[in-house]
Amino acid sequence: YAIAKIAGIKLCQSLRKQHNFDAISLMPTNLYGPKDNYHPNNSHVMAALIKKFTDAKKNSSDSVICWGTGNPLREFMHVDDLGEAVVFALENWDPSHKNAPLDNKGEPLTHLNVGTGKEIKIFDLATKISNFVGFRGKIIWDHTKPDGMYRKLLNSDRLNKLGWSPKIDLNVGIQKTINDLSLYSYLKNE
């Protein structure tokens, strides 16, 4: 997944440089929101936790097993904020403009990071989701499973300086996502 994102950025850079093709790219942080992948074995952390805790609540489970130690930090952004960032970038960012963001060598950037600038421990995220769904059982951390990188936080200052910032608070976004999953599951079972 990460390699595909980087390849897309490099393709856009090359097309711009070699063929003067007007291409820009945005590199988003971890995304979550409606219609995410809630598969029990291959979903990303936010969707996996939401699914585990909603299922545990529905099934009156005594515990939920979460991967790793819960210590890593992650940044999360709601997909609707990414949608807003894409429209904003298309309307307000031209890498050839004299005031456009530059890289460390003073060259115009053709890609920008998109994130919230806020991170949360996975342990705290699990606790938050557990509370939102009303799960009162025990959270068990399976230390035999990987934590992944300790920290993943993007620097979105360049896009922020152009005038964009995320609007959806993490608590609001998680609650909307849980509500969407509940509605989706209900309709799917109808």
Side-chain angles (χ1 to χ4, degrees):
Y1 179 68
I3 292 172
K5 288 197 295 188
I6 293 167
I9 287 172
K10 293 300 182 186
L11 173 64
C12 289
Q13 286 174 337
S14 297
L15 287 170
R16 185 175 200 88
K17 187 174 186 177
Q18 293 173 0
H19 302 288
N20 203 28
F21 184 79
D22 188 14
I24 56 175
S25 300
L26 296 177
M27 175 68 83
T29 189
N30 298 296
L31 300 172
Y32 71 97
K35 309 298 182 277
D36 205 334
N37 172 14
Y38 296 103
H39 190 275
N41 298 323
N42 62 17
S43 59
H44 294 281
V45 66
M46 179 73 80
L49 290 174
I50 289 173
K51 180 74 168 136
K52 282 182 183 207
F53 285 107
T54 55
D55 286 353
K57 170 68 175 174
K58 183 174 83 175
N59 298 327
S60 300
S61 299
D62 294 333
S63 63
V64 168
I65 298 172
C66 296
W67 282 23
T69 64
N71 290 323
L73 297 163
R74 292 293 181 270
E75 175 184 21
F76 295 97
M77 184 172 65
H78 194 276
V79 292
D80 289 348
D81 273 335
L82 177 61
E84 294 289 331
V86 168
V87 172
F88 178 87
L90 289 169
E91 293 176 348
N92 296 285
W93 174 39
D94 178 356
S96 61
H97 190 271
K98 66 178 182 167
N99 294 329
L102 305 174
D103 66 15
N104 294 336
K105 296 177 184 175
E107 297 293 320
L109 284 167
T110 57
H111 75 279
L112 296 176
N113 292 333
V114 184
T116 63
K118 298 175 185 173
E119 56 192 354
I120 184 171
K121 273 181 113 170
I122 298 301
F123 177 92
D124 296 333
L125 179 65
T127 302
K128 183 183 295 281
I129 293 169
S130 172
N131 290 335
F132 281 155
V133 301
F135 174 74
R136 301 293 175 239
K138 186 175 182 179
I139 300 173
I140 299 169
W141 293 93
D142 182 354
H143 295 234
T144 66
K145 301 292 187 192
D147 271 336
M149 287 180 55
Y150 177 72
R151 188 173 191 208
K152 291 183 182 179
L153 179 66
L154 292 181
N155 180 341
S156 301
D157 288 348
R158 289 177 172 127
L159 186 59
N160 297 147
K161 285 178 185 172
L162 290 173
W164 179 86
S165 62
K167 307 287 184 275
I168 300 173
D169 174 76
L170 183 62
N171 291 334
V172 172
I174 290 172
Q175 191 63 63
K176 286 174 60 174
T177 304
I178 290 168
N179 293 346
D180 179 75
L181 176 61
S182 298
L183 176 61
Y184 177 73
S185 295
Y186 172 77
L187 293 174
K188 190 174 168 184
N189 292 331
E190 283 280 300

